[in-house]
């Protein structure tokens, strides 16, 4: 897979999806989502992104 497609698939799209979920949690679900759940969501996203970047580093580093 070429580098720009790998960046799009493995980094940009998950970040956009996370952003959409986070905004929805803050706006539409703000009464049912606690601060601890938002912190857990952010931490889980960070762990998943770290795993993706670590396992796909060869594809992301291609020139």
């Amino acid at each position: 897979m070429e580098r720009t497609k790998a960046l799009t698939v493995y980094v940009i799209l998950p970040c956009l999806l996370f952003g959409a979920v986070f905004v929805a949690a803050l706006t539409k679900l703000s009464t049912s989502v606690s601060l601890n759940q938002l912190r857990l969501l952010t931490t889980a996203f960070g762990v998943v992104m770290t795993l993706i970047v670590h396992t796909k580093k060869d594809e992301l580093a291609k020139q």
Side-chain angles (χ1 to χ4, degrees), residues 24-34:
L26 286 177
T27 56
K28 299 183 187 250
L29 305 172
S30 62
T31 57
S32 62
V33 176
S34 69

Side-chain angles (χ1 to χ4, degrees), residues 2-63:
E2 63 185 59
R3 184 171 189 244
T4 55
K5 186 172 181 182
L7 280 172
T8 302
V9 170
Y10 298 128
V11 177
I12 296 172
L13 289 178
C15 288
L16 290 175
L17 180 63
F18 172 73
V21 169
F22 195 78
V23 167
L26 286 177
T27 56
K28 299 183 187 250
L29 305 172
S30 62
T31 57
S32 62
V33 176
S34 69
L35 183 60
N36 287 335
Q37 289 173 324
L38 289 175
R39 287 182 183 149
L40 180 64
L41 176 68
T42 305
T43 303
F45 176 73
V47 168
V48 169
M49 286 304 296
T50 302
L51 289 173
I52 289 173
V53 169
H54 180 70
T55 57
K56 301 294 183 182
K57 63 184 169 191
D58 294 335
E59 290 182 43
L60 295 171
K62 283 183 182 175
Q63 292 287 337

